């Protein structure tokens, strides 16, 4: 597949590396930053071109006429949208994916009978980083103990990451014993355990220890019950303070303000006034989230969750550390730099959210071969959880009509759950037979296994006859 990427920032570079490492991909990347292109060119086998990716002349020069996919991932919405329009009208590139941040482009025309703005720019698929981050944060706030919440199959199944503490009922118990603790007709599968920096793929006799980060999958309707049985209950997240009133802060407050007590801190006077006009049940505070006096006046020691969501990594780090030091029970900070994410994860800041990692996962779900519905990096980045949909029958599929135990799974892949209709079955049920339309949730510890999974779920040509 011939793929053209616009933008060599963190997202573009990461996607370029992923695609270049897959077989039979011819990847080119365009950017105005020569140093960034030189860096990515030294890491992977890609063609690098300096210039404006929205220029039809440059697109023609790099072979857009026979390109299969355009990934417009620059920091400029206008560049991305214009490039998609050029790609459609002049070069007939069939797949055109744009990274879009502004809500103006996302919302305009969607409800008033006009042509949606993205359709006007011939975008076939779009990635919305701020929407993705907001949804991720809202999911975390629904559960007091959750470090990560991932949704699968239209939110029928969820994967939770929870760190065990002293007094949790599952401490010192084996995987088999944990299953026996759950009520009748309630089930989950523990598919990974992080012990310090070490990843453990659990076996039936694996014992859970205090401090382990436990990843488990269950039916969404049963998650609350599972959490209550396996982990000590804590008071709910009622009081939330948001540092930063930008797009993410505003979207998060708007989504939660009717369910939680929300305070939002914004330093820019005009933006603070705008927030006060557009939020109904949120207290808007004008000031800096790194102002110790302001935090003390607003009873930071009574805040259940402090979310630092400004556009500045250092500000989010300092605000998060200060809030934790002053008594906030739980701190979540958005951090863009990947090195900062690795340094801070699991330390004084309880949860570090990486918008780039979330965005990369969403982009990969659009471009994986086969019917891959979602790709999520796990909390520490050295494993992924993917959702695939199987199609066909015994003649055309390597999975349909076969039992779990009869499938030769790639090394480093572990079936976590199978979603069929409204039902969620755990992957350890080896006699379960796959059917057309099943959604499989697969835990992957080896990156190269992703290509093998894609081959496994592909249907033979007879399926289309």
């Amino acid at each position: 597949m011939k793929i053209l990427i616009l933008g060599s920032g963190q997202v573009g570079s990461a996607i370029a590396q992923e695609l270049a490492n897959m077989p039979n991909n011819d990847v080119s990347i365009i950017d105005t930053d020569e140093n960034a292109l030189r860096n990515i060119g030294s890491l992977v086998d890609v063609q690098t071109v300096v210039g404006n990716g929205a220029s039809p002349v440059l697109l023609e020069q790099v072979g857009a006429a026979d390109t299969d996919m355009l990934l417009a991932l620059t920091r400029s919405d206008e560049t991305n949208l214009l490039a998609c329009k050029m790609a459609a009208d002049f070069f007939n590139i069939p797949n055109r994916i744009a990274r879009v941040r502004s809500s103006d482009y996302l919302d305009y025309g969607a409800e008033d009978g006009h042509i949606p703005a993205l359709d006007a720019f011939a975008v076939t698929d779009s990635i919305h980083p701020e929407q993705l981050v907001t949804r991720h944060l809202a999911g975390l706030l629904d559960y007091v103990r959750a470090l990560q919440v991932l949704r699968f199959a239209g939110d029928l199944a969820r994967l939770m990451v929870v760190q065990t503490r002293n007094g949790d009922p599952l401490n010192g118990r084996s995987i088999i014993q944990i299953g026996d603790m759950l009520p009748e007709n309630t089930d989950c599968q523990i598919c990974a355990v992080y012990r310090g920096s070490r990843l453990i793929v659990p076996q039936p006799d694996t014992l859970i220890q205090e401090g382990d980060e436990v990843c488990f999958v269950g039916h969404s309707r049963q998650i609350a019950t599972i959490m209550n049985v396996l982990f000590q209950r804590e008071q709910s997240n009622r009081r939330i303070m948001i540092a930063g009133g930008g797009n993410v802060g505003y979207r998060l407050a708007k989504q939660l303000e009717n369910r939680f007590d929300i305070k939002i801190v914004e330093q820019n006077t005009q933006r603070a006034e705008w927030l006060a006009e557009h939020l109904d049940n949120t207290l808007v505070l004008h000031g800096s989230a790194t102002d110790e006096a302001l935090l003390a006046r607003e009873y930071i020691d009574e805040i259940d969750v402090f979310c630092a969501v400004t556009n500045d990594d250092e500000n989010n780090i300092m605000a998060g550390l200060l809030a934790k030091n002053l008594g906030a029970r739980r701190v979540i900070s958005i951090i863009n730099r990947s090195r900062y994410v690795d340094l801070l994860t699991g330390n004084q800041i309880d949860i570090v959210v990486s918008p780039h990692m979330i965005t990369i996962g969403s982009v990969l779900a659009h471009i994986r071969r086969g019917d891959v519905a979602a790709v999520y990096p796990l909390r520490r980045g050295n494993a992924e959880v993917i959702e695939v949909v199987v199609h066909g029958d015994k003649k055309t599929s390597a999975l349909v009509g076969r039992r779990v135990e009869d499938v030769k799974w790639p090394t480093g892949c572990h079936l976590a759950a199978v979603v069929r209709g409204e039902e969620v079955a755990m992957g350890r049920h080896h006699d379960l037979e796959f059917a057309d339309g099943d959604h499989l949730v697969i835990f992957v510890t080896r990156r190269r296994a992703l290509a093998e999974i894609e081959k496994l779920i592909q249907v033979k040509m007879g399926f289309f006859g």
Side-chain angles (χ1 to χ4, degrees):
M1 184 187 301
K2 186 170 182 179
I3 303 168
L4 180 58
I5 300 174
L6 309 186
S8 61
Q10 289 191 41
V11 174
S13 297
I15 296 299
Q17 291 183 58
E18 288 279 350
L19 293 175
N21 289 328
M22 296 178 187
N24 305 318
N25 279 342
D26 178 7
V27 180
S28 300
I29 185 166
I30 299 175
D31 202 307
T32 55
D33 188 336
E34 290 188 55
N35 290 329
L37 290 174
R38 193 177 300 113
N39 291 336
I40 187 65
S42 66
L43 295 174
V44 290
D45 182 19
V46 296
Q47 179 188 7
T48 59
V49 180
V50 179
N52 178 9
S55 164
V57 174
L58 186 60
L59 290 174
E60 183 178 40
Q61 290 174 353
V62 297
D66 60 351
T67 291
D68 300 299
M69 179 181 292
L70 172 75
L71 296 171
L73 305 175
T74 75
R75 293 183 176 88
S76 167
D77 287 355
E78 289 71 25
T79 298
N80 295 339
L81 294 173
L82 182 57
C84 285
K85 185 64 173 173
M86 299 294 103
D89 291 354
F90 295 156
F91 307 107
N92 198 30
I93 297 177
N95 298 300
R96 304 171 298 276
I97 300 175
R99 178 186 183 186
V100 183
R101 291 177 171 174
S102 172
S103 58
D104 291 347
Y105 294 118
L106 303 180
D107 301 334
Y108 185 79
E111 298 177 355
D112 56 10
H114 290 89
I115 298 174
L118 295 185
D119 287 356
F121 288 99
V123 175
T124 56
D125 283 296
S126 55
I127 308 297
H128 315 303
E130 289 168 347
Q131 281 189 354
L132 293 169
V133 171
T134 303
R135 185 186 180 197
H136 182 81
L137 291 169
L140 289 171
L141 294 172
D142 283 334
Y143 300 97
V144 179
R145 295 282 299 272
L147 299 175
Q148 193 167 11
V149 181
L150 305 178
R151 294 173 168 82
F152 302 95
D155 203 17
L156 281 168
R158 292 181 186 175
L159 181 142
M160 312 289 294
V161 181
V162 183
Q163 186 169 37
T164 61
R165 298 176 183 168
N166 181 38
D168 284 339
L170 81 169
N171 284 341
R173 297 180 186 265
S174 67
I175 301 300
I176 288 181
Q177 290 172 326
I178 290 171
D180 294 337
M181 295 169 61
L182 297 174
E184 188 176 357
N185 299 322
T186 301
D187 201 3
C188 75
Q189 177 153 324
I190 296 177
C191 49
V193 176
Y194 287 97
R195 187 164 294 160
S197 59
R198 184 163 64 101
L199 171 63
I200 299 171
V201 177
Q203 303 302 314
D205 59 350
T206 300
L207 296 177
I208 301 300
Q209 299 179 8
E210 181 184 338
D212 286 349
E213 288 185 15
V214 178
C215 310
F216 69 88
V217 177
H219 197 298
S220 296
R221 291 197 303 263
Q222 299 177 354
I223 291 296
T225 300
I226 295 167
M227 293 283 288
N228 289 337
V229 171
L230 301 185
F231 304 94
Q232 277 189 328
R233 297 187 66 176
E234 292 188 4
Q235 66 187 73
S236 63
N237 295 326
R238 285 302 313 160
R239 296 174 295 272
I240 298 171
M241 181 178 286
I242 301 172
N247 288 336
V248 172
Y250 166 69
R251 286 173 183 267
L252 186 61
K254 192 70 174 177
Q255 186 171 335
L256 301 177
E257 64 178 354
N258 292 324
R259 295 192 292 129
F260 301 97
D261 298 326
I262 307 289
K263 296 179 180 180
I264 188 167
V265 183
E266 170 56 43
Q267 192 162 17
N268 181 278
T269 304
Q270 290 182 329
R271 182 64 177 179
E273 292 173 352
W274 185 92
L275 291 169
E277 293 175 2
H278 289 81
L279 292 170
D280 300 319
N281 298 310
T282 296
L283 176 62
V284 179
L285 305 170
H286 176 232
S288 171
T290 57
D291 182 345
E292 184 175 347
L294 183 149
L295 295 181
R297 283 198 309 272
E298 295 301 326
Y299 304 102
I300 187 66
D301 56 325
E302 296 181 3
I303 293 294
D304 295 317
V305 185
F306 180 90
C307 299
V309 297
T310 75
N311 293 322
D312 185 277
D313 281 358
E314 286 76 11
N315 190 60
N316 290 341
I317 293 169
M318 294 308 297
L321 292 174
L322 180 60
K324 190 73 172 181
N325 185 257
L326 293 175
R329 285 203 308 122
R330 195 164 174 235
V331 171
I332 302 173
S333 290
I334 283 182
I335 306 294
N336 286 288
R337 296 188 189 180
S338 56
R339 290 188 181 275
Y340 285 6
V341 173
D342 295 337
L343 285 172
L344 294 166
T345 296
N347 292 312
Q348 279 186 288
I349 295 176
D350 299 291
I351 303 176
V352 176
V353 173
S354 169
H356 290 314
M357 292 297 289
I358 295 171
T359 304
I360 289 165
S362 182
V363 174
L364 289 176
H366 283 77
I367 62 180
R368 295 283 190 196
R369 288 187 299 274
D371 205 341
V372 178
V375 179
Y376 295 110
L378 266 183
R379 180 166 153 79
R380 296 185 182 274
N382 55 357
E384 291 179 332
V385 182
I386 69 171
E387 176 190 345
V388 302
V389 186
V390 296
H391 295 295
D393 53 32
K394 274 193 173 182
K395 293 182 180 179
T396 60
S397 170
L399 293 176
V400 175
R402 291 164 176 80
R403 297 184 303 175
V404 173
E405 64 182 359
D406 295 332
V407 176
K408 186 177 180 181
W409 299 97
T411 303
C413 297
H414 308 275
L415 181 66
V418 179
V419 182
R420 180 179 302 164
E422 297 291 319
E423 302 299 318
V424 180
M426 298 304 109
R428 64 173 177 278
H429 297 154
H430 293 170
D431 58 344
L432 178 67
E433 189 175 283
F434 295 115
D436 178 59
D438 282 353
H439 288 243
L440 313 186
V441 180
I442 303 173
F443 179 77
V444 182
T445 60
R446 187 174 61 94
R447 283 293 182 88
R448 293 182 181 178
L450 289 170
E452 299 171 48
I453 293 175
E454 288 167 359
K455 290 180 181 178
L456 192 64
I457 65 174
Q458 286 175 350
V459 294
K460 299 175 184 175
M461 290 306 295
F463 178 71
F464 302 100

